[in-house]
Amino acid sequence: MNMELQRGCLALLLVLDSVFSVQVDDNYNIVKKNINSNFHDVPDIRGKNNSPKLSTPEECLRNCKDGEPPKTCHYKFTLEFYSILGGACEVCTPNSTNQITPSCQCILADGFERTLLSVNRMLPGPSIQVCENDNIVVDVLNKMEGAEVTIHWHGIHQRNTQYYDGVPMVTQCAIPQGSTFRYAFLADPVGTHFWHAHTGLQKMDGLYGSLIVRQSPKRDPHSKLYDEDLPEHVMLISDWFHEGTNEKFPGRLIAGQGQNPDSILVNGKGRFIYPDSGEETVTPLEVFTVTKGKRYRFRMINAFCSICPAQVSIEGHVMTIIATDGNAVKPTPVQTLISNAGERYDFILNANMSVGTYWIQVKGLGECSVYKIQQLAILKYVDGPESPSSQPPQYDNPLPLGMILNPLDGVCNGKRNGSLCVSDLTGLKRPPDMFKQYADKTIYLPYKFYLHTMEELFKPNEYKAFISTFDGLHVTSLIDNISYEFPSAPLTSQYGDNDPKTFCDGNNIDPSQCTDFCSCVHKIDIKNGEIVEVILVDEAQVTNLSHPFHLHGYFFYVLGSERLPQERPISLKAAIEMDRKGLLKRAYENNPPGKDTLVVPENGYIIIRFKADNPGFWFLHCHFLYHITVGMNLILQVGTNSDLPPVPPKFPTCNNFRPPVATIKLP
Ligand SMILES: *[C@@H]1O[C@H](CO)[C@@H](O)[C@H](O)[C@H]1NC(C)=O
Ligand SMILES: *[C@@H]1O[C@H](CO)[C@@H](O)[C@H](O)[C@H]1NC(C)=O
Ligand SMILES: *[C@@H]1O[C@H](CO)[C@@H](O)[C@H](O)[C@H]1NC(C)=O
Ligand SMILES: *[C@@H]1O[C@H](CO)[C@@H](O)[C@H](O)[C@H]1NC(C)=O
Ligand SMILES: *[C@@H]1O[C@H](CO)[C@@H](O)[C@H](O)[C@H]1NC(C)=O
Ligand SMILES: [Cu+2]
């Protein structure tokens, strides 16, 4: 059978039975299961002797071919408290990051000694690099003293594997110390994704890594635009403290206020200049090697956690954007790429300059401008010198800006030359129904900070979550006047074990339950299959602070995005009024790319749509870590539990334990 035909049949099968998925049998052969089977019926692939057959990175990292059977890519993540510049650095110096089991367990980061959380004693953690529709299995062993954890696979839609989305108390109980939780899901959709802890502040202490899903050249609309798509050209950028994240939570008032980072890392590497002495650490910078005359696909992942946007530029080179969050876009050249926590951008770098070595500058913007936080990396041509001949770019004397993607002020195409926004990018797919005039359901979601007075916050018997900001303000995040609370039992697997009174929906609230501040399990119900429009409205209006929102389980499409002038503060009421008058502009004719993470401009709004065809409990939240901790989250419930595949056998359970006191019989 020819490949095209085979693919057609497969597609048909997929349509006919929605729970079709690719499975492995006892001998690690791929078997196709159909109706009513699902991922969880896989026999324990550890086999009888319980010793896992793990994949090396190379087995699954390959040139993806059409018609090739999917592989099972099975990895083990061991999570620990660990040390930067620890004893391992007396044994060896790390030289490669694309490993599951590092040959050297020394982590250098930016040369500043601290404790971190590590996966397999690496920073970033192991990179997962697979082909479309491979079967990813990850055994997460929690060896962190006194800590629980879940891992979210950011960008993976978890269709039919809703139990593995990694949101604590929404899709699973957190993994307790000493225990292993086996995640298993299909590598879908394709694209540049990443994985990270979704519990507490652990992500920023080191629990993150890349997750790359490639496709065959035939299925990649841009394959002719580049010669190489190599694992060493994944560029994961992250912000970094020189102390544990808990030191900044809820936040100090006298020394080291706020939650702004000390440093930035590029693939876990960098240097640090001590502000007082001007001395610089001597750790290696990340080096991206290219050969003159070739075109390379780079895959940039913004794994920042703080509120700082990140600005990337490469000396003398253009970045031609070809995809974002896994969605191909019309190739768009830019010189400066600004992104926010959780976003990914793929770009082509044409190594057509003279053989040499060039600077890559990664600047932290927004609050990071106060301490001028930046990091450098190197683009080295084969046969070029070890370091660039030019002076390293400084924070205040950066590489030339040229065309900017995502300028901070949100002023883009048409209104000003020299900058583009996501809404100016052109997607290559136009999903049907998405751009019809009226969505089936519209949800307005204003969000803001609730500013506490000390008297009101520190009352006996009240324990409201809060963070203290840089300015010493004590705030809690509210979406639609609600600060998100955890359910007591995970909704995918133990919905009925929750007290229904703990749920609330800001769009449909019982006034006796909530007025101007309330905290509850914020959950909005959506019918399976509806086209849903969400209008996020920035009532927070903190100068130069724009919040990136991430939706699990879906791509969404941006119909509108606008920042209002300072003298016209936006509010829910103003947005509804504008919409009534037709002033919330929806660009029906545009063809925006699908995204899963996008920033809402300060004092502005975004209008996003998605087709709710993936049942489940999906988190929608600000991707700033400290905002998550104070409730800038909610759950979109699509369909009901009966629309989900069966709960995996022996899936871990948890809940409150509160037997009536009168029934307790002490011995
Ligand atoms: C990296 O280090 C390991 C051992 O520490 C060594 O075997 C390997 O050859 C090194 N690789 C490179 C590319 O230098
Ligand atoms: C190098 O490639 C870029 C991007 O394709 C292009 O804009 C630029 O003109 C090329 N430069 C030279 C010197 O050929
Ligand atoms: C952008 O540049 C073009 C060509 O130089 C010019 O015609 C146009 O007026 C400029 N637009 C703005 C908003 O400055
Ligand atoms: C939200 O709180 C504000 C005061 O902070 C109040 O004016 C408004 O009515 C509240 N909205 C709802 C839906 O309760
Ligand atoms: C906001 O950002 C702009 C541009 O980066 C900067 O000029 C301005 O000083 C910032 N304002 C505040 C209050 O930080
Ligand atoms: Cu936020």
Side-chain angles (χ1 to χ4, degrees):
M1 197 174 3
N2 93 21
M3 291 305 164
E4 214 45 61
L5 202 61
Q6 208 169 352
R7 196 155 273 292
C9 291
L10 252 170
L12 192 66
L13 220 89
L14 276 158
V15 172
L16 288 180
D17 73 68
S18 59
V19 288
F20 167 88
S21 71
V22 174
Q23 312 267 328
V24 282
D25 67 12
D26 267 331
N27 303 315
Y28 310 109
N29 296 319
I30 301 291
V31 293
K32 296 187 184 75
K33 294 230 178 166
N34 53 41
I35 307 179
N36 292 335
S37 74
N38 60 62
F39 226 110
H40 326 299
D41 300 335
V42 191
D44 188 339
I45 66 171
R46 282 169 176 239
K48 308 270 179 301
N49 63 6
N50 206 32
S51 68
K53 179 187 182 292
L54 298 179
S55 310
T56 64
E58 296 76 24
E59 275 174 58
C60 287
L61 167 62
R62 61 199 190 277
N63 292 323
C64 305
K65 296 196 183 75
D66 268 331
E68 186 188 54
K71 281 185 186 285
T72 292
C73 306
H74 186 185
Y75 307 109
K76 182 169 179 182
F77 283 12
T78 302
L79 280 55
E80 297 171 289
F81 280 86
Y82 198 60
S83 303
I84 304 286
L85 298 177
C89 299
E90 292 170 20
V91 179
C92 53
T93 308
N95 60 7
S96 164
T97 45
N98 179 38
Q99 289 168 322
I100 300 295
T101 306
S103 54
C104 176
Q105 296 191 344
C106 163
I107 306 179
L108 299 172
D110 62 352
F112 192 99
E113 185 181 26
R114 62 157 280 188
T115 303
L116 82 162
L117 301 178
S118 69
V119 175
N120 299 358
R121 303 192 173 172
M122 299 169 71
L123 182 71
S127 173
I128 294 179
Q129 307 216 8
V130 300
C131 293
E132 191 174 13
N133 289 324
D134 277 352
N135 200 333
I136 299 175
V137 181
V138 184
D139 294 353
V140 174
L141 167 59
N142 177 4
K143 289 188 72 177
M144 300 182 292
E145 284 299 315
E148 57 172 26
V149 70
T150 62
I151 303 287
H152 170 56
W153 316 91
H154 186 123
I156 299 290
H157 289 174
Q158 303 291 5
R159 224 169 257 275
N160 300 320
T161 53
Q162 287 88 339
Y163 302 97
Y164 298 119
D165 194 40
V167 181
M169 302 313 277
V170 177
T171 63
Q172 69 174 108
C173 306
I175 309 165
Q177 181 186 356
S179 157
T180 297
F181 184 91
R182 176 168 295 162
Y183 289 92
F185 50 89
L186 287 183
D188 172 64
V190 297
T192 301
H193 308 308
F194 68 128
W195 55 263
H196 59 78
H198 216 299
T199 24
L201 299 163
Q202 295 162 334
K203 177 190 174 197
M204 198 175 183
D205 281 320
L207 299 186
Y208 51 78
S210 55
L211 198 176
I212 311 296
V213 181
R214 294 191 172 80
Q215 59 189 159
S216 69
K218 204 158 135 194
R219 284 171 54 74
D220 175 2
H222 291 319
S223 57
K224 292 201 167 58
L225 299 180
Y226 57 89
D227 306 301
E228 302 283 1
D229 176 9
L230 303 172
E232 54 266 36
H233 293 144
V234 171
M235 181 191 285
L236 184 149
I237 59 175
S238 55
D239 48 2
W240 190 238
F241 289 142
H242 284 163
E243 59 190 338
T245 51
N246 286 329
E247 287 293 318
K248 305 271 192 184
F249 181 71
R252 308 198 292 251
L253 290 185
I254 297 163
Q257 304 96 315
Q259 289 81 27
N260 49 319
D262 298 299
S263 189
I264 291 172
L265 303 174
V266 179
N267 290 342
K269 297 198 185 91
R271 285 187 190 151
F272 179 67
I273 301 175
Y274 290 84
D276 297 336
S277 64
E279 274 182 79
E280 189 171 21
T281 56
V282 290
T283 37
L285 298 179
E286 178 67 338
V287 179
F288 299 92
T289 307
V290 295
T291 299
K292 185 176 163 75
K294 283 193 172 180
R295 299 161 305 164
Y296 293 87
R297 181 178 191 141
F298 275 66
R299 296 169 175 273
M300 202 277 302
I301 299 163
N302 184 325
F304 273 50
C305 296
S306 71
I307 61 175
C308 303
Q311 171 177 318
V312 175
S313 9
I314 306 178
E315 190 183 5
H317 291 77
V318 169
M319 295 172 274
T320 301
I321 307 292
I322 55 166
T324 178
D325 298 0
N327 286 282
V329 299
K330 194 167 143 262
T332 307
V334 301
Q335 273 100 318
T336 300
L337 167 55
I338 296 176
S339 61
N340 270 282
E343 287 189 283
R344 289 90 66 209
Y345 288 93
D346 294 23
F347 60 85
I348 290 168
L349 179 133
N350 189 348
N352 63 359
M353 298 301 287
S354 47
V355 169
T357 301
Y358 300 86
W359 290 111
I360 298 175
Q361 184 180 26
V362 183
K363 279 180 65 167
L365 306 177
E367 202 167 78
C368 280
S369 64
V370 177
Y371 294 112
K372 305 188 199 294
I373 308 297
Q374 73 161 8
Q375 193 51 269
L376 299 173
I378 285 171
L379 178 74
K380 182 181 178 303
Y381 281 57
V382 169
D383 298 329
E386 284 308 308
S387 23
S389 48
S390 57
Q391 286 302 309
Q394 306 290 316
Y395 194 92
D396 292 324
N397 187 13
L399 296 172
L401 292 176
M403 179 62 82
I404 303 172
L405 183 63
N406 300 326
L408 291 191
D409 61 10
V411 178
C412 290
N413 217 10
K415 301 205 186 84
R416 176 176 66 204
N417 287 322
S419 61
L420 296 168
C421 291
V422 163
S423 46
D424 300 321
L425 297 175
T426 306
L428 298 190
K429 284 187 197 144
R430 193 177 164 86
D433 299 349
M434 200 62 69
F435 300 93
K436 63 184 185 183
Q437 189 172 6
Y438 297 109
D440 302 323
K441 185 179 178 86
T442 297
I443 305 168
Y444 286 94
L445 292 176
Y447 60 87
K448 65 183 172 196
F449 290 116
Y450 184 90
L451 189 58
H452 299 278
T453 63
M454 302 299 166
E455 290 71 23
E456 168 254 331
L457 181 59
F458 300 109
K459 276 197 297 220
N461 290 316
E462 286 210 5
Y463 302 97
K464 286 187 181 127
F466 67 93
I467 47 172
S468 339
T469 67
F470 197 69
D471 319 323
L473 303 176
H474 289 52
V475 302
T476 301
S477 302
L478 300 178
I479 300 182
D480 226 0
N481 287 3
I482 296 166
S483 183
Y484 172 82
E485 294 269 1
F486 283 81
S488 72
L491 302 187
T492 49
S493 51
Q494 290 176 256
Y495 188 89
D497 291 347
N498 284 279
D499 175 353
K501 286 202 294 290
T502 59
F503 297 131
C504 59
D505 165 359
N507 271 237
N508 197 1
I509 201 124
D510 169 1
S512 67
Q513 201 183 0
C514 269
T515 48
D516 59 337
F517 180 105
C518 83
S519 57
C520 39
V521 183
H522 196 174
K523 178 173 78 65
I524 299 179
D525 297 339
I526 289 168
K527 290 196 193 78
N528 212 347
E530 282 183 318
I531 299 279
V532 179
E533 182 174 273
V534 175
I535 302 173
L536 284 155
V537 179
D538 179 44
E539 287 188 340
Q541 293 158 17
V542 179
T543 310
N544 288 354
L545 179 55
S546 299
H547 304 252
F549 275 79
H550 173 47
L551 173 61
H552 292 213
Y554 292 97
F555 292 129
F556 56 74
Y557 296 82
V558 189
L559 271 85
S561 169
E562 191 184 353
R563 180 175 177 162
L564 300 191
Q566 225 59 54
E567 60 278 11
R568 276 176 59 205
I570 197 156
S571 63
L572 174 63
K573 214 168 140 237
I576 291 174
E577 187 60 19
M578 281 172 75
D579 206 7
R580 214 176 45 79
K581 292 184 180 152
L583 296 174
L584 283 195
K585 295 254 167 7
R586 291 172 180 77
Y588 297 105
E589 68 292 350
N590 277 14
N591 198 10
K595 291 278 290 170
D596 59 39
T597 310
L598 187 65
V599 79
V600 183
E602 180 213 327
N603 193 33
Y605 62 86
I606 62 174
I607 306 172
I608 60 177
R609 284 192 184 175
F610 64 96
K611 187 178 168 74
D613 58 1
N614 185 13
F617 295 84
W618 303 112
F619 223 39
L620 171 63
H621 63 100
C622 175
H623 216 264
F624 294 149
L625 204 50
Y626 287 88
H627 295 182
I628 295 175
T629 62
V630 288
M632 208 178 258
N633 322 298
L634 56 84
I635 298 162
L636 297 181
Q637 175 180 353
V638 177
T640 65
N641 288 73
S642 63
D643 297 315
L644 300 182
V647 180
K650 299 188 189 162
F651 198 74
T653 59
C654 49
N655 203 349
N656 294 325
F657 174 64
R658 278 185 306 201
V661 174
T663 68
I664 299 174
K665 289 202 178 66
L666 299 176

